[in-house]
Amino acid sequence: MSLLQQRIQKIEQDIQAACDRSGRNRADVSIVAVTKSVSAARTSAVLEAGIRQLGENRAEGLLGKQEAIPNGAEWHFIGNVQSRKVKDIINRIDYLHSVDRLSIAKEIQKRADQRVDCFIQVNVSGEESKSGISPSELDQFIEEVGTYDKIRVVGLMTMAPFTKNDDEIRTIFRSLRELRDGIAARNLPFAPCPYLSMGMSNDYIIAIEEGATHVRIGTALVGAESEEDG
């Protein structure tokens, strides 16, 4: 068994255990393999190992990988996107995880050939170093985004602080779930909001216990480009 297969097996075991503890169905959790730091060859290996959902955070990285991997993947753009770069990616992705300002929404409306499934990025922790709108701005932002018919709000996304305090991390994820539940309860046709994109290599287990539907796992899954994978 290769190192990649071993990592995937470990992650699958962790996910199943977290689902069991929280009374969830494993099928309701998607792994997004964050391949931004590895080559197209290693990304292809991830795809061949059965992980179809791939995440990139730069336009150049996304387009380069797509040239090398022409089909079989579902592409997630997970990074902060500049307004001027929207045109380069918006018709090449399945999900955009980082809508956090109206300038991005306007560019999507202008450039998208069809409706795009988007996550609204929320800065639940309030850290200045993180992108995202504040929880207090979310309802108004959702209403404003609803005026653009090329955007479907399928969920919310956040990043927890990098800390060893699991209770703090859990509180952040729980808060995002509560915000999502509030939007979903409104039954807005343009914002069904069934999904939660939260949890990375260091905290995806907690995220799943708190309701994550999409966990964005990089190093813990794809490893480092320099390692042997025999």
Side-chain angles (χ1 to χ4, degrees), residues 22-71:
S22 52
R24 300 187 63 198
N25 189 328
R26 168 63 187 89
D28 294 334
V29 181
S30 296
I31 299 172
V32 179
V34 179
T35 53
K36 62 183 183 179
S37 299
V38 297
S39 65
R42 188 174 287 265
T43 302
S44 293
V46 171
L47 189 61
E48 290 167 6
I51 307 295
R52 289 190 60 246
Q53 301 187 64
L54 306 177
E56 291 285 326
N57 72 336
R58 295 175 62 250
E60 295 79 7
L62 172 76
L63 301 179
K65 296 275 175 57
Q66 288 182 336
E67 287 183 10
I69 308 168
N71 49 48

Side-chain angles (χ1 to χ4, degrees), residues 156 171 173-183 196:
L156 303 182
T171 297
F173 291 154
R174 185 173 297 160
S175 295
L176 191 75
R177 186 188 73 219
E178 291 170 353
L179 290 169
R180 188 280 312 268
D181 290 349
I183 295 168
L196 284 172

Side-chain angles (χ1 to χ4, degrees), residues 115 142 146 151-155 183-194:
R115 182 174 279 191
I142 290 285
I151 295 176
R152 177 169 44 228
V153 179
V154 296
I183 295 168
R186 296 170 65 185
N187 295 312
L188 299 170
F190 60 88
C193 222

Side-chain angles (χ1 to χ4, degrees), residues 99 101-102 105-106 109 120 133-153 156 179 182-193:
V99 176
R101 53 199 188 278
L102 285 179
K106 291 175 182 177
Q109 183 69 22
I120 304 300
I133 64 169
S134 71
S136 64
E137 298 171 329
L138 181 59
D139 283 343
Q140 181 179 345
F141 188 74
I142 290 285
E143 292 292 344
E144 291 170 336
V145 167
T147 64
Y148 301 104
D149 63 6
K150 294 290 182 67
I151 295 176
R152 177 169 44 228
V153 179
L156 303 182
L179 290 169
I183 295 168
R186 296 170 65 185
N187 295 312
L188 299 170
F190 60 88
C193 222

